[in-house]
């Protein structure tokens, strides 16, 4: 049966109306998602991580490690388990920081911003039973979960505690042989205090290594309106007070006067696949978020933010900063 010209015209109108409705709906959803929902406030970081820990969605997809993975040029993220990439990242970060079980087998290690403690436990096992690893976080729920996993995995040389990285009242000067900070600087409202405290508790001759999301150095290429808009979103969707550049971190370390030569690198090429890898896992295995119907909108927001992060890193607005140095020997 062939539709009459009048019927065809009506179908076209219906199609156009339906298309417009879809576009309008998409535009509305984007408008909602583009408005950040979790700006940084006093106490918000610990609260957010407590909620993420209790929900279990982050642990379902990222496992024990709340940090990006490391991928070689030849590796495609769909062919590599994310957890393998995360372990590869720790191994590469150890190399970058000059950390080796042969020389650091009895080291006292501080993991600043330890999350569920996956890296702390991995370091404790990698360095050996004589090493002592202490992980600190603002989240009591993370400490609880990290401790449970240490017991389950028979890793008694990793312990965890709630501690403010900007104060560290529990630790005397020159306490640790290694200070490790992986993706915690993003959440620090005072980057100078953050650096100063880590340098303070590091022993003379000790090793410092840090990985952190950074914005590019705007002294070289000033931010335009789009850059500032995108940074505002990235700050306020995942409770970040602000980012700084890897160059600014290097200057903060140097200004302490305590450290030898500071080395920095940008690992964006090695880590950028993690953002879409995480999105792909959520599409391939949706059970991690489908079982949390009250959290659907938040999960959609997180997925959208992952894509926004990918794009910001890809176009050079964001960089993956790596920083390492050793502390000067005592006079």
């Amino acid at each position: 049966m062939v539709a009459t010209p009048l019927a065809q015209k009506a179908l076209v109108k219906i199609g156009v109306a339906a298309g417009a409705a879809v576009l309008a709906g998409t535009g509305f959803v984007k408008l909602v998602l583009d408005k950040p929902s979790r700006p940084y406030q006093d106490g918000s970081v610990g609260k957010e991580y407590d909620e993420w820990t209790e929900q279990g969605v982050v642990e379902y997809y990222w496992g024990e490690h709340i940090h990006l993975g490391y991928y070689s040029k030849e590796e495609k993220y769909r062919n590599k388990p994310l957890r393998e990439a995360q372990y590869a990242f720790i191994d590469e970060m150890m190399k970058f920081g000059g950390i080796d079980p042969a020389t650091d087998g009895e080291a006292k290690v501080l993991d600043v911003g330890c999350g569920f403690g996956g890296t702390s436990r991995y370091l404790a096992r990698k360095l050996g039973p004589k090493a002592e690893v202490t992980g600190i976080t603002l989240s009591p729920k993370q400490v609880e979960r990290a401790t449970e996993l240490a017991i389950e995995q028979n890793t008694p040389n990793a312990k965890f505690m709630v501690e403010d990285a900007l104060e560290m009242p529990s630790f005397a000067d020159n306490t640790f042989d290694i200070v490790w900070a992986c993706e915690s600087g993003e959440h620090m409202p005072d980057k100078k205090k953050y650096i100063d405290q880590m340098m303070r508790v590091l022993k003379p001759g000790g090793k410092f290594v840090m990985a952190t999301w950074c914005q590019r150095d705007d002294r070289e290429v000033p931010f335009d309106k789009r850059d500032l808009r995108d940074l505002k979103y990235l700050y306020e969707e995942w409770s970040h007070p602000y980012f700084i550049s890897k160059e600014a971190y290097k200057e903060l370390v140097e200004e302490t006067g305590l450290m030898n030569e500071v080395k920095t690198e940008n690992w964006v090429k090695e880590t950028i696949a993690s953002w879409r890898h995480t999105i792909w896992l959520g599409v391939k295995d949706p059970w991690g978020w489908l079982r949390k119907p009250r959290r659907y909108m938040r999960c959609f927001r997180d997925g959208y933010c992952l894509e926004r992060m990918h794009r910001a890193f890809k176009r050079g607005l964001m960089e993956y900063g790596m920083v390492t140095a050793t502390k000067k020997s005592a006079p």
Side-chain angles (χ1 to χ4, degrees), residues 17 182 228 283 307:
C182 184
L228 293 172
V283 173
E307 178 61 21

Side-chain angles (χ1 to χ4, degrees), residues 40-104:
Y40 175 84
Q41 298 173 349
D42 187 31
S44 63
V45 174
K47 178 176 176 291
E48 288 293 327
Y49 277 112
D50 273 347
E51 289 185 8
W52 277 340
T53 303
E54 288 186 311
Q55 290 165 20
V57 177
V58 172
E59 188 173 353
Y60 185 90
Y61 289 113
W62 277 28
E64 302 176 53
H65 304 277
I66 311 177
H67 61 78
L68 303 190
Y70 187 99
Y71 307 77
S72 68
K73 292 179 181 179
E74 298 77 24
E75 290 176 320
K76 302 297 183 183
Y77 67 80
R78 292 189 184 187
N79 300 327
K80 182 172 186 173
L82 178 59
R83 295 178 194 188
E84 279 187 21
Q86 290 169 320
Y87 282 123
F89 181 91
I90 301 170
D91 290 337
E92 294 298 326
M93 187 168 168
M94 288 178 70
K95 293 177 189 175
F96 182 73
I99 300 167
D100 188 332
T103 56
D104 299 306

Side-chain angles (χ1 to χ4, degrees), residues 40 124 131 174 229 236 247 262 274 315:
Y40 175 84
N174 307 322
R229 180 201 68 199
E236 296 183 5
E247 291 82 4
V262 183
S274 302
R315 70 182 176 90

